[in-house]
Amino acid sequence: MTHVPIEATIERCWREVATIEEAFEAGEIDREGWHRRIASLVVPAYLAGEDPRAQSGFEGTGADWEHARGLVAEAISRPGTFLDVGCANGLLMESVRAWCGQRGLSIEPFGVEISPQLAALARQRLPQWADRMFEGNAAGWSAPLRFDFVRTGLEYVPRSLAPALLEHLLSTAVHPRGRLLIGPYTEERDQTRSALSVQDTLRAWGFEPAGTLSRTHERDDRVVRRLTWIGGRARIPDLA
Ligand SMILES: C[S@@+](CC[C@H](N)C(=O)[O-])C[C@H]1O[C@@H](n2cnc3c(N)ncnc32)[C@H](O)[C@@H]1O
């Protein structure tokens, strides 16, 4: 079906990201340096994007976008507030509201974005939500309210700091009865996977996944699109 290395389907800039991770783990760069180097990969490419999906780092058609990112809306179980961590140009905020609306669920979307240029682009595209698009690093950001659904990626901080990112979002941004959605991420099919799954990684970090959704990948049948969530309070059952 495809001849690209599987790592490239999972993360387009995997070689560059691996080099940045190594530099962080070796102590050659600090957190700020890590974020600066990741931004230099991501931000110019997104700003040069010719369609709103490319400006959100997604390669593919509108149908591909809905297939891949629709998992987020599928994990939303009731009306409420939704925070997209790393909202880029705000397309996922818009899409989740529309997709949930089709299921009769009214969603109020918010976003936080580390890149000032992308946060500005999001506000310019969606001026009606300008005061809901916050600029900041989610890892240290003080959320102005608790959200019913918060979506994040694990790749928004150096790998060794990902558990602290999840803990921070759970303790400051996710409503106790809410859900912290992780993904959608791409991983090898269970039958052929050699690395630990994201679900098992979360367990190894001390978080108990409360649910997972999977879909086929649009272009590469060696991998699947997946989204996992954890309840807003590890010790309070996920009542959503
Ligand atoms: C791949 S885009 C995701 C766009 C959209 N949220 C989605 O899921 O389709 C990742 C975005 O996260 C932003 N980002 C990365 N690290 C971040 C952090 N620590 N805090 C806030 N935003 C971050 C990047 O600047 C980029 O715009």
Side-chain angles (χ1 to χ4, degrees):
M1 191 177 181
T2 177
H3 299 292
V4 300
I6 201 161
E7 294 87 346
T9 303
I10 293 172
E11 163 59 63
R12 227 182 314 165
C13 301
W14 62 282
R15 283 201 184 87
E16 294 87 340
V17 171
T19 305
I20 299 169
E21 277 294 328
E22 279 164 24
F24 179 80
E25 288 306 325
E28 293 161 12
I29 54 172
D30 61 10
R31 289 178 202 198
E32 292 310 313
W34 186 93
H35 285 292
R36 261 197 309 277
R37 285 181 63 175
I38 294 286
S40 73
L41 289 178
V42 164
V43 177
Y46 288 17
L47 291 175
E50 287 177 358
D51 60 64
R53 297 177 298 284
Q55 293 173 347
S56 262
F58 186 86
E59 206 182 337
T61 63
D64 292 340
W65 168 262
E66 182 156 358
H67 177 79
R69 311 311 281 168
L71 281 170
V72 179
E74 208 181 308
I76 291 183
S77 49
R78 55 181 161 84
T81 49
F82 166 71
L83 173 74
D84 187 23
V85 173
C87 65
N89 70 343
L91 180 62
L92 189 68
M93 293 167 58
E94 244 184 316
S95 303
V96 164
R97 181 176 160 90
W99 296 331
C100 286
Q102 289 163 11
R103 287 168 45 218
L105 299 180
S106 169
I107 290 298
E108 294 299 334
F110 294 75
V112 58
E113 169 57 51
I114 196 169
S115 155
Q117 297 101 309
L118 289 171
L121 174 62
R123 292 191 194 109
Q124 183 197 321
R125 284 186 66 247
L126 301 163
Q128 73 278 23
W129 293 335
D131 60 352
R132 297 170 173 208
M133 290 160 171
F134 306 100
E135 190 185 307
N137 180 347
W141 179 64
S142 300
L145 66 149
R146 296 294 194 110
F147 302 92
D148 299 304
F149 300 92
V150 176
R151 187 217 67 86
T152 190
L154 297 176
E155 67 280 14
Y156 296 166
V157 287
R159 188 65 173 176
S160 54
L161 303 181
L165 170 68
L166 299 183
E167 197 52 62
H168 177 67
L169 291 173
L170 283 168
S171 59
T172 63
V174 185
H175 189 278
R177 293 187 181 201
R179 288 179 175 179
L180 178 58
L181 315 180
I182 296 147
Y185 51 89
T186 304
E187 73 181 2
E188 287 182 75
R189 290 178 172 280
D190 292 335
Q191 299 83 341
T192 48
R193 187 164 36 72
S194 48
L196 212 56
S197 69
V198 169
Q199 281 193 73
D200 286 342
T201 301
L202 292 172
R203 285 193 191 97
W205 290 342
F207 301 97
E208 187 48 45
T212 295
L213 295 168
S214 299
R215 285 186 184 177
T216 55
H217 191 280
E218 320 78 69
R219 292 185 306 277
D220 192 333
D221 60 8
R222 297 169 299 178
V223 295
V224 289
R225 300 264 189 201
R226 204 159 258 170
L227 179 136
T228 293
W229 65 89
I230 41 191
R233 273 272 174 274
R235 282 165 297 281
I236 299 177
D238 182 6
L239 301 174

